[in-house]
Amino acid sequence: MSSYLRPRVPGASVFLTVTLAERGTNLLVREIEALRHAVRVTRLKRPFRIDAWVVLPDHMHCVWTLPEGDADYGGRIGQIKATFSKALPEGRLRSSHILRREKGIWQRRFWEHHVRGEQDFSACVHYCWTNPVKHGLVQDVRDWPYSSWHRDVGAAA
């Protein structure tokens, strides 16, 4: 089994990509309220700042800043995944899912990138906001409802 060494930088800003096990589904937008609930529950227990977030049908991208002295973004992702999964029926189960008591909804891994500087931060936020356009879901970022763009830019426009 692979052993991933992830950076552990307390108080870091981190760009994350989290993906469903079954690509091509619309589960995340169909169950957006369950996902929002999972994020709220996680943030109550383990606070973090949401700098940007976009939810697409089968994956999501976000930029978080962790509290000073805290580097556990992986634990937060795990809690969001678990809380979301508990609200839903099981997905396609393999024997390894049963062994690990998983529902088969999420890919086990996630992708992370520690943000390095203001230019990188801006690029990561921009990537989140423009991703629905990149995937052909909308032609303009303002037309995708599941994006922090509306909170950060759209509200001021």
Side-chain angles (χ1 to χ4, degrees):
M1 177 176 220
S2 298
S3 177
Y4 292 93
L5 295 176
R6 296 191 188 271
R8 297 192 54 77
V9 180
S13 293
V14 184
F15 173 82
L16 301 151
T17 300
V18 186
T19 305
L20 294 176
E22 187 177 344
R23 296 302 298 257
T25 180
N26 69 350
L27 181 66
L28 291 179
V29 295
R30 191 174 71 238
E31 297 292 345
I32 193 70
E33 290 309 317
L35 181 59
R36 287 176 174 152
H37 172 75
V39 172
R40 279 192 302 272
V41 166
T42 300
R43 288 182 76 203
L44 283 172
K45 293 179 182 176
R46 312 206 41 218
F48 60 93
R49 186 177 74 218
I50 298 171
D51 300 304
W53 202 310
V54 65
V55 178
L56 290 97
D58 62 1
H59 68 285
M60 58 188 180
H61 301 288
C62 43
V63 180
W64 298 349
T65 299
L66 299 174
E68 289 299 318
D70 191 336
D72 189 19
Y73 53 90
R76 288 169 172 84
I77 288 289
Q79 186 169 359
I80 290 168
K81 286 177 167 185
T83 303
F84 179 78
S85 296
K86 285 177 187 171
L88 302 176
E90 292 178 345
R92 294 184 187 167
L93 293 180
R94 299 188 310 260
S95 59
S96 63
H97 292 136
I98 295 165
L99 182 66
R100 294 174 186 222
R101 298 182 323 173
E102 296 173 343
K103 287 190 172 180
I105 294 171
W106 297 99
Q107 285 186 4
R108 287 195 183 121
R109 306 281 184 225
F110 61 90
W111 188 84
E112 58 77 22
H113 163 75
H114 275 65
V115 177
R116 293 170 178 86
E118 289 180 33
Q119 196 170 13
D120 191 23
F121 183 87
S122 294
C124 291
V125 169
H126 183 261
Y127 185 89
C128 288
W129 292 345
T130 59
N131 206 246
V133 175
K134 174 186 168 193
H135 285 282
L137 298 168
V138 292
Q139 291 193 356
D140 190 298
V141 296
R142 71 186 76 224
D143 296 331
W144 189 250
Y146 312 110
S147 170
S148 63
W149 181 90
H150 297 284
R151 177 197 71 185
D152 298 333
V153 178

